[in-house]
Amino acid sequence: DVKVTQSSRYLVKRTGEKVFLECVQDMDHENMFWYRQDPGLGLRLIYFSYDVKMKEKGDIPEGYSVSREKKERFSLILESASTNQTSMYLCASSFTLPALHENPRYEQYFGPGTRLTVT
Amino acid sequence: AQSVTQLDSQVPVFEEAPVELRCNYSSSVSVYLFWYVQYPNQGLQLLLKYLSGSTLVKGINGFEAEFNKSQTSFHLRKPSVHISDTAEYFCAVPSKTDKLIFGTGTRLQVFP
């Protein structure tokens, strides 16, 4: 079974703090993603990475950065936390296979989420 | 641009009743469609997917979905729900840039 783990289930931080959210996957997946989930808005992509040391902005990258120094680990960084970053953060990973009919990048495996509260 | 619309934010239903969760998509590229489920306090997991072939797709836990190209829909169905099906369900479609676009989710609440 694919395991995607996130460093914390619940986190409470103060405004202005630097926050690190860690995600680790154990299936040698090339692709990793960070989303935030808010009621009524579904999942919104923050950043993603298709390879080590590679990163791409998603739909809502402002106020966030990421780091991928090792294939299995993808970190999300809030440089200076603000109250509007209170949310559920979900990490996901997926693999790439030389399949003919499938694009496995779409089949993502998710971690349990980190509920971050910024006060 | 690709997009997904889930018309119902909440669907209440009694146990053993049938349920349909609606999803409509717009896509200008080849259509792949997905349903994910999020049980309380958990991450998302893949329920089923349509890539090609038969338009009726069967997934885990007795769920199925039908791809309807003319109506641009991919509705999720189950003939008889259980309490344990209480969860949030997300429809998703890939974007042109290889990412997944999720709908806003439908919360299925099953009552005894």
Side-chain angles (χ1 to χ4, degrees):
Chain A
D1 269 359
V2 176
K3 280 276 170 28
V4 180
T5 57
Q6 296 184 228
S7 49
S8 307
R9 293 299 302 271
Y10 300 93
L11 209 52
V12 180
K13 295 291 182 181
R14 293 195 179 277
T15 302
E17 279 193 82
K18 191 168 186 176
V19 181
F20 293 87
L21 302 183
E22 305 285 340
C23 175
V24 177
Q25 48 92 5
D26 68 355
M27 282 300 292
D28 204 32
H29 285 179
E30 291 85 358
N31 315 315
M32 297 189 75
F33 307 84
W34 274 108
Y35 296 90
R36 63 176 284 176
Q37 181 181 12
D38 300 288
L41 297 178
L43 275 71
R44 293 180 291 168
L45 183 63
I46 305 171
Y47 267 96
F48 60 103
S49 168
Y50 288 150
D51 202 351
V52 177
K53 298 204 185 284
M54 177 267 180
K55 59 185 178 185
E56 293 277 349
K57 292 180 180 179
D59 301 316
I60 52 163
E62 297 78 20
Y64 303 94
S65 63
V66 290
S67 171
R68 193 163 180 204
E69 296 296 318
K70 294 185 178 181
K71 191 175 185 180
E72 68 271 17
R73 187 180 298 269
F74 193 35
S75 303
L76 180 70
I77 304 154
L78 286 65
E79 296 289 344
S80 177
S82 64
T83 55
N84 63 13
Q85 293 178 310
T86 290
S87 186
M88 170 71 87
Y89 290 87
L90 293 168
C91 175
S93 70
S94 69
F95 56 90
T96 303
L97 284 177
L100 289 177
H101 299 295
E102 299 185 19
N103 189 331
R105 292 185 182 204
Y106 306 146
E107 191 164 338
Q108 295 181 13
Y109 297 82
F110 283 80
T114 295
R115 186 165 294 282
L116 172 67
T117 301
V118 183
T119 61
Chain B
Q2 284 70 25
S3 67
V4 174
T5 302
Q6 292 184 244
L7 297 166
D8 306 301
S9 59
Q10 295 189 56
V11 173
V13 65
F14 287 108
E15 196 172 19
E16 297 183 9
V19 71
E20 179 179 84
L21 306 184
R22 296 181 292 170
C23 172
N24 288 88
Y25 68 91
S26 68
S27 177
S28 57
V29 298
S30 296
V31 178
Y32 301 123
L33 293 157
F34 301 82
W35 276 99
Y36 280 81
V37 59
Q38 184 180 32
Y39 296 106
N41 298 315
Q42 295 186 28
L44 278 70
Q45 64 182 88
L46 184 66
L47 194 59
L48 50 79
K49 60 188 175 188
Y50 171 79
L51 301 176
S52 65
S54 172
T55 57
L56 184 63
V57 180
K58 294 191 183 298
I60 60 172
N61 299 337
F63 282 92
E64 63 182 31
E66 185 157 21
F67 168 55
N68 188 319
K69 189 175 181 179
S70 62
Q71 297 187 8
T72 61
S73 67
F74 191 54
H75 301 333
L76 182 69
R77 301 186 184 103
K78 186 168 183 178
S80 176
V81 295
H82 301 134
I83 296 283
S84 59
D85 293 322
T86 293
E88 190 150 22
Y89 293 79
F90 293 92
C91 186
V93 62
S95 71
K96 283 184 180 178
T97 53
D98 242 17
K99 297 171 285 186
L100 267 182
I101 298 170
F102 289 88
T104 51
T106 297
R107 185 169 297 278
L108 176 64
Q109 180 73 53
V110 181
F111 295 95

